[in-house]
Coordinates of all heavy atoms in Angstrom, one line a residue:
D85 N 126.3 87.2 54.4 CA 127.5 87.5 55.3 C 128.0 86.3 56.0 O 129.2 86.2 56.3 CB 127.0 88.5 56.3 CG 126.6 89.8 55.7 OD1 127.4 90.4 54.9 OD2 125.5 90.3 56.0
G86 N 127.2 85.3 56.2 CA 127.7 84.1 56.9 C 126.5 83.2 57.3 O 125.3 83.5 57.0
I87 N 126.8 82.2 58.1 CA 125.8 81.2 58.5 C 126.1 80.9 60.0 O 127.2 80.6 60.4 CB 125.9 79.9 57.7 CG1 125.4 80.2 56.3 CG2 125.0 78.9 58.3 CD1 125.5 79.0 55.4
Q88 N 125.0 81.0 60.8 CA 125.1 80.6 62.2 C 124.8 79.1 62.3 O 123.8 78.5 61.9 CB 124.0 81.3 63.0 CG 124.0 80.9 64.5 CD 125.2 81.3 65.2 OE1 125.6 82.5 65.2 NE2 126.0 80.3 65.7
L118 N 135.9 81.1 58.1 CA 136.3 81.6 59.4 C 135.1 81.3 60.3 O 134.0 81.7 60.0 CB 136.6 83.1 59.3 CG 137.0 83.7 60.6 CD1 138.4 83.2 61.0 CD2 137.1 85.3 60.5
D120 N 133.7 81.6 64.4 CA 134.1 82.2 65.7 C 133.6 81.2 66.9 O 133.0 80.1 66.6 CB 133.5 83.6 65.9 CG 131.9 83.6 65.8 OD1 131.3 82.5 66.0 OD2 131.4 84.7 65.6
D122 N 131.1 81.3 68.7 CA 129.7 81.1 68.8 C 129.2 80.2 67.6 O 128.0 80.0 67.5 CB 129.0 82.5 68.7 CG 129.2 83.3 69.9 OD1 129.2 82.8 71.0 OD2 129.5 84.5 69.8
Y124 N 129.5 81.0 64.3 CA 129.1 81.8 63.2 C 130.2 81.6 62.1 O 131.4 81.9 62.4 CB 128.9 83.2 63.5 CG 128.3 84.1 62.4 CD1 126.9 83.9 62.1 CD2 129.0 85.0 61.7 CE1 126.4 84.6 61.1 CE2 128.5 85.7 60.7 CZ 127.1 85.5 60.4 OH 126.5 86.3 59.4
V125 N 129.8 81.2 60.9 CA 130.8 80.9 59.8 C 130.7 82.0 58.8 O 129.6 82.4 58.3 CB 130.4 79.5 59.2 CG1 131.3 79.3 58.0 CG2 130.5 78.4 60.2
R126 N 131.9 82.5 58.4 CA 132.0 83.6 57.4 C 132.9 83.0 56.3 O 133.8 82.3 56.5 CB 132.6 84.8 57.9 CG 131.8 85.5 59.0 CD 132.5 86.8 59.6 NE 132.8 87.7 58.5 CZ 131.9 88.6 58.1 NH1 130.7 88.7 58.7 NH2 132.2 89.5 57.1
R158 N 129.7 91.1 45.1 CA 128.6 91.1 46.0 C 127.5 92.0 45.5 O 127.7 93.2 45.3 CB 129.1 91.6 47.4 CG 128.0 91.5 48.5 CD 128.4 92.4 49.7 NE 127.7 92.0 50.9 CZ 126.4 92.2 51.2 NH1 125.7 92.8 50.3 NH2 126.0 91.9 52.4
W160 N 123.9 94.2 46.1 CA 123.5 95.0 47.3 C 122.0 95.3 47.1 O 121.5 95.5 46.0 CB 124.3 96.4 47.3 CG 125.7 96.2 47.8 CD1 126.8 96.3 47.0 CD2 126.1 96.0 49.1 NE1 127.9 96.1 47.7 CE2 127.5 95.9 49.0 CE3 125.5 95.9 50.3 CZ2 128.3 95.7 50.2 CZ3 126.3 95.7 51.4 CH2 127.7 95.6 51.4
D165 N 119.9 94.7 53.2 CA 121.2 94.7 53.8 C 121.4 95.8 54.8 O 121.9 95.6 55.9 CB 122.2 94.9 52.7 CG 122.3 93.7 51.7 OD1 122.1 92.6 52.2 OD2 122.4 93.9 50.5
V169 N 120.1 96.7 59.7 CA 121.1 97.2 60.6 C 120.6 98.5 61.3 O 120.8 98.6 62.5 CB 122.4 97.5 59.8 CG1 123.4 98.2 60.7 CG2 123.0 96.2 59.2
R172 N 118.0 97.3 63.8 CA 118.5 96.6 65.0 C 119.3 97.5 65.9 O 119.2 97.3 67.2 CB 119.4 95.4 64.5 CG 120.0 94.7 65.7 CD 120.3 93.3 65.4 NE 120.9 92.6 66.6 CZ 121.1 91.3 66.6 NH1 120.8 90.5 65.6 NH2 121.6 90.8 67.7
Q173 N 120.0 98.5 65.4 CA 120.7 99.4 66.3 C 119.9 100.5 66.9 O 120.4 101.3 67.7 CB 121.9 100.0 65.5 CG 122.8 99.1 64.7 CD 123.4 98.0 65.7 OE1 123.8 98.3 66.8 NE2 123.4 96.8 65.2
L226 N 129.4 106.4 59.8 CA 130.2 105.5 60.6 C 130.9 106.1 61.7 O 131.0 105.6 62.8 CB 131.3 104.8 59.7 CG 130.7 103.8 58.7 CD1 131.9 103.2 57.8 CD2 130.0 102.6 59.4
I241 N 127.8 100.9 67.2 CA 128.5 99.7 66.6 C 130.0 99.9 66.9 O 130.6 101.0 67.1 CB 128.3 99.6 65.1 CG1 128.8 100.8 64.3 CG2 126.9 99.4 64.8 CD1 128.7 100.7 62.8
A242 N 130.7 98.7 67.0 CA 132.1 98.7 67.3 C 132.9 98.7 66.0 O 132.6 98.1 65.0 CB 132.5 97.5 68.1
P243 N 134.0 99.5 66.0 CA 134.8 99.5 64.8 C 135.4 98.1 64.5 O 135.8 97.4 65.4 CB 136.0 100.5 65.2 CG 135.4 101.3 66.2 CD 134.5 100.5 67.0
G244 N 135.3 97.7 63.2 CA 135.8 96.4 62.8 C 134.8 95.3 63.0 O 135.0 94.1 62.6
S245 N 133.6 95.6 63.6 CA 132.6 94.5 63.8 C 132.0 94.2 62.4 O 132.2 94.9 61.4 CB 131.5 95.0 64.8 OG 130.8 96.1 64.2
E246 N 131.2 93.1 62.4 CA 130.6 92.7 61.1 C 129.6 93.7 60.6 O 129.5 93.9 59.4 CB 129.9 91.3 61.3 CG 128.9 91.3 62.4 CD 128.8 89.9 63.1 OE1 129.8 89.4 63.6 OE2 127.7 89.3 63.0
V247 N 128.9 94.3 61.6 CA 128.0 95.4 61.1 C 128.8 96.6 60.6 O 128.4 97.1 59.5 CB 127.1 95.8 62.3 CG1 126.3 97.1 62.0 CG2 126.2 94.7 62.8
Y248 N 129.9 96.9 61.2 CA 130.7 98.0 60.7 C 131.2 97.7 59.3 O 131.2 98.5 58.4 CB 131.9 98.2 61.7 CG 132.9 99.3 61.2 CD1 132.7 100.6 61.6 CD2 134.0 98.9 60.4 CE1 133.6 101.6 61.2 CE2 134.9 99.9 60.0 CZ 134.7 101.2 60.4 OH 135.6 102.2 60.0
R249 N 131.7 96.4 59.1 CA 132.2 96.1 57.8 C 131.2 96.1 56.7 O 131.4 96.5 55.6 CB 132.9 94.7 57.9 CG 134.1 94.6 58.7 CD 134.9 93.3 58.5 NE 134.0 92.1 58.8 CZ 134.0 91.5 60.0 NH1 134.7 92.0 61.0 NH2 133.2 90.5 60.2
L250 N 129.9 95.7 57.1 CA 128.9 95.7 56.1 C 128.6 97.1 55.6 O 128.5 97.4 54.4 CB 127.6 95.0 56.7 CG 126.4 94.9 55.8 CD1 125.6 93.6 56.1 CD2 125.4 96.1 55.9
L251 N 128.4 98.0 56.6 CA 128.1 99.4 56.2 C 129.3 100.0 55.5 O 129.1 100.8 54.5 CB 127.8 100.2 57.5 CG 126.5 99.9 58.2 CD1 126.4 100.7 59.5 CD2 125.3 100.1 57.3
R252 N 130.5 99.7 55.9 CA 131.7 100.3 55.2 C 131.7 99.8 53.7 O 132.0 100.5 52.8 CB 132.9 99.9 55.9 CG 134.2 100.4 55.3 CD 135.4 99.5 55.8 NE 135.3 98.1 55.4 CZ 136.0 97.1 55.9 NH1 136.9 97.4 56.9 NH2 135.8 95.9 55.5
D253 N 131.5 98.5 53.6 CA 131.6 97.9 52.2 C 130.4 98.5 51.3 O 130.7 98.7 50.1 CB 131.5 96.4 52.3 CG 132.7 95.8 52.9 OD1 133.7 96.5 53.1 OD2 132.6 94.6 53.3
W254 N 129.3 98.7 51.9 CA 128.2 99.2 51.1 C 128.5 100.7 50.7 O 128.2 101.0 49.5 CB 126.9 99.2 52.0 CG 125.7 99.9 51.4 CD1 125.0 99.5 50.3 CD2 125.1 101.1 51.8 NE1 124.0 100.4 50.0 CE2 124.0 101.4 50.9 CE3 125.3 102.0 52.9 CZ2 123.2 102.5 51.1 CZ3 124.5 103.1 53.0 CH2 123.5 103.4 52.1
R302 N 118.6 82.9 53.4 CA 119.7 83.8 53.9 C 119.7 83.7 55.4 O 118.6 83.9 56.0 CB 119.5 85.2 53.4 CG 120.6 86.1 53.9 CD 120.4 87.6 53.4 NE 121.5 88.4 53.7 CZ 121.4 89.8 53.6 NH1 120.3 90.3 53.1 NH2 122.5 90.5 53.8
D303 N 120.8 83.5 56.0 CA 120.9 83.5 57.5 C 120.9 85.0 58.0 O 121.8 85.8 57.6 CB 122.2 82.8 57.9 CG 122.3 82.6 59.4 OD1 122.1 83.6 60.2 OD2 122.4 81.5 59.8
I304 N 119.9 85.4 58.8 CA 119.8 86.7 59.2 C 119.8 86.8 60.8 O 119.3 87.7 61.4 CB 118.4 87.4 58.7 CG1 117.3 86.5 59.2 CG2 118.5 87.6 57.2 CD1 115.9 87.1 58.9
T305 N 120.5 85.8 61.4 CA 120.5 85.7 62.8 C 121.0 87.0 63.4 O 120.5 87.5 64.4 CB 121.4 84.6 63.3 OG1 120.9 83.4 62.6 CG2 121.4 84.4 64.8
R306 N 122.1 87.6 62.8 CA 122.7 88.8 63.4 C 122.1 90.1 62.9 O 122.6 91.2 63.2 CB 124.2 88.7 63.2 CG 124.8 87.5 63.8 CD 126.3 87.5 64.0 NE 126.7 86.3 64.7 CZ 128.0 86.1 65.2 NH1 128.9 87.0 64.9 NH2 128.3 85.1 65.8
L307 N 121.0 90.0 62.1 CA 120.3 91.2 61.7 C 118.9 91.3 62.3 O 118.3 92.3 62.3 CB 120.2 91.2 60.2 CG 121.5 91.3 59.4 CD1 121.2 91.2 57.9 CD2 122.1 92.7 59.6
A308 N 118.4 90.1 62.8 CA 117.1 90.1 63.4 C 117.1 90.7 64.8 O 118.1 90.8 65.5 CB 116.6 88.7 63.4
P322 N 123.5 88.7 73.2 CA 123.9 89.1 71.8 C 124.0 87.9 70.9 O 124.2 86.8 71.3 CB 125.3 89.8 72.1 CG 125.2 90.2 73.5 CD 124.4 89.2 74.2
R323 N 123.9 88.2 69.6 CA 124.2 87.3 68.5 C 123.3 86.1 68.5 O 123.7 85.0 68.2 CB 125.6 86.9 68.6 CG 126.6 88.0 68.4 CD 128.0 87.6 68.4 NE 128.9 88.7 68.2 CZ 130.2 88.7 68.1 NH1 130.8 87.5 68.3 NH2 131.0 89.7 67.9
G324 N 122.0 86.3 68.8 CA 121.0 85.2 68.7 C 121.0 84.2 69.8 O 120.5 83.0 69.5

Side-chain angles (χ1 to χ4, degrees):
D85 298 309
I87 292 177
Q88 177 65 58
L118 181 66
D120 63 18
D122 294 315
Y124 190 73
V125 176
R126 296 178 59 87
R158 188 199 198 285
W160 289 103
D165 297 322
V169 173
R172 176 156 182 168
Q173 305 307 317
L226 288 179
I241 61 177
S245 66
E246 57 213 57
V247 170
Y248 177 89
R249 292 195 300 269
L250 184 145
L251 292 176
R252 180 200 61 196
D253 293 346
W254 174 67
R302 182 185 187 188
D303 191 304
I304 55 170
T305 306
R306 300 197 174 186
L307 293 175
R323 300 181 177 182

